[in-house]
Amino acid sequence: MTTPPPFRAAAVQESSVWLDRAGSTEKACALIAEAGRGGAQLVALPESFVPGFPYWIFTRALRDGARWHRRLHDEAVEVPGPSVSALERAAIDAGVTAVVGVTERDPGRVGTLYNTNLVFGPEGYLGKHRKLVPTWTERAIWTGGDGSTLSVFPTPHGPLGTLNCGENVNTLARYALLAQGERVHVANFPSCAPLGGAHENTNDVYLPAAAHAYEGRLYNVVSQEFGTPELCERLEVEYLPDVWNCISGVIGPDGDWIASLRDEPGIVYADCDPSATVDGRLFHDVAGHYNRFDVLRLTIDRRALAPFHEVVE
């Protein structure tokens, strides 16, 4: 595999237009365009940015959030669909690779939602990754994905993989991407602001993201949502300006931030040299010479799960 040329990555740290598919899609497209004008070739947006993250599942009894859940369901993204087409056009027009977090709803089905990252290239839609295991109370909202979307995507910057939030601590999922040649990773997260200080420091984001960058000797683009006082007001929780809200940026193959932005909205840029991903693997190539496939092996089941299977005789 030829080493790709240097590229500029952009990590978006902004707020969605909460529970508004059209508004969040429009904002995501504008942010992709802005990042492109800033010289970025790769743009990452937060988890479930369209139509917005279901924060209530962490702040109140599930029965008290039924009105928000109905809205999330109705505003969820169908693939294919108008939101996907708009995001695709934004990536093409900006000439970038873009990863956008959405809540996905299967066309024609009621109730089943997925926590999904959509991946777009400069020439169009590349595919999606559905979070394998929603975290904690997220399982009341989203169902789990399957091995059919645990893949890397071809980009001008090398094979790209992506995982959602807590999924980035799943060692086997991360290894599965590395074993497929992953060279750049996107890890996206919701804001911590509506959680009222439940997360005390940025290690909850930094440690899994840095571990993957260092172990895989790759670039990890981290995008976390900025939580606003207005969002907290809608959720009926107190906005605490002195607690950790968010951190986004790019972590290099050595496990350190190249650039980062904390607790304020914006886009953070970093210039990346893929040759560093080659140099690092001279020491530890965990999917190659620094492994023992006669002792340790990973199997991926690529079958797509479905609620029923038809047998025609």
Side-chain angles (χ1 to χ4, degrees):
M1 179 185 297
T2 303
T3 301
F7 65 95
R8 172 168 283 192
V12 173
Q13 187 164 269
E14 281 285 357
S15 56
S16 66
V17 183
W18 198 57
L19 299 188
D20 182 335
R21 180 179 60 241
S24 293
T25 300
E26 182 179 4
K27 186 168 186 178
C29 291
L31 289 165
I32 291 170
E34 180 182 348
R37 290 192 297 272
Q41 288 95 35
L42 170 61
V43 185
L45 274 74
E47 180 179 18
S48 192
F49 192 80
V50 183
F53 189 86
Y55 291 101
W56 67 88
I57 59 178
F58 294 115
T59 63
R60 61 203 312 117
L62 289 174
R63 63 179 177 273
D64 295 336
R67 67 187 188 280
W68 290 319
H69 179 75
R70 288 192 296 271
R71 180 67 180 266
L72 177 70
H73 175 274
D74 291 348
E75 295 293 305
V77 173
E78 293 189 349
V79 183
S83 287
V84 179
S85 297
L87 293 166
E88 178 181 45
R89 174 49 54 189
I92 293 172
D93 289 346
V96 303
T97 299
V99 179
V100 183
V102 304
T103 287
E104 179 194 2
R105 183 184 66 234
D106 274 343
R109 294 179 62 189
V110 177
T112 304
L113 302 176
Y114 300 91
N115 185 353
T116 299
N117 280 349
L118 303 178
V119 183
F120 304 90
E123 297 180 355
Y125 175 68
L126 295 176
K128 64 187 178 184
H129 168 68
R130 289 173 170 173
K131 189 173 185 178
L132 288 173
V133 181
T135 306
W136 199 27
T137 53
E138 289 178 358
R139 294 169 209 170
I141 301 292
W142 292 309
T143 192
D146 54 48
S148 68
T149 70
L150 186 61
S151 300
V152 297
F153 302 90
T155 77
H157 329 296
L160 178 146
T162 181
L163 297 172
N164 293 317
C165 195
E167 191 175 33
N168 286 279
V169 305
N170 188 324
T171 304
L172 293 182
R174 294 194 295 106
Y175 177 79
L177 298 178
L178 295 176
Q180 296 173 76
E182 185 185 38
R183 206 159 190 168
V184 60
H185 185 83
V186 169
N188 51 7
F189 300 81
S191 172
C192 292
L195 308 184
H199 295 266
E200 296 180 357
N201 61 62
T202 61
N203 281 347
D204 286 340
V205 166
Y206 172 71
L207 288 179
H212 192 57
Y214 184 80
E215 292 172 7
R217 303 293 180 165
L218 49 70
Y219 290 96
N220 198 341
V221 187
V222 179
S223 174
Q224 187 171 13
E225 182 171 13
F226 172 73
T228 65
E230 293 76 16
L231 171 62
C232 291
E233 182 179 0
R234 289 189 64 182
L235 288 162
E236 301 165 9
V237 298
E238 184 180 3
Y239 179 78
L240 302 175
D242 296 328
V243 305
W244 171 37
N245 185 318
C246 51
I247 187 168
S248 300
V250 179
I251 300 174
D254 61 357
D256 284 339
W257 290 109
I258 300 174
S260 64
L261 178 68
R262 178 171 174 171
D263 295 341
E264 60 180 284
I267 302 176
V268 58
Y269 299 88
D271 293 320
C272 306
D273 182 1
S275 66
T277 67
V278 178
D279 297 342
R281 295 186 198 200
L282 288 170
F283 294 90
H284 304 112
D285 180 6
V286 297
H289 65 71
Y290 206 69
N291 213 319
R292 283 288 303 278
F293 303 117
D294 57 328
V295 178
L296 301 168
R297 292 183 297 276
L298 174 65
T299 300
I300 302 178
D301 187 341
R302 289 294 192 195
R303 290 174 294 181
L305 300 180
F308 69 93
H309 296 275
E310 292 190 59
V311 177
V312 179
E313 296 182 357

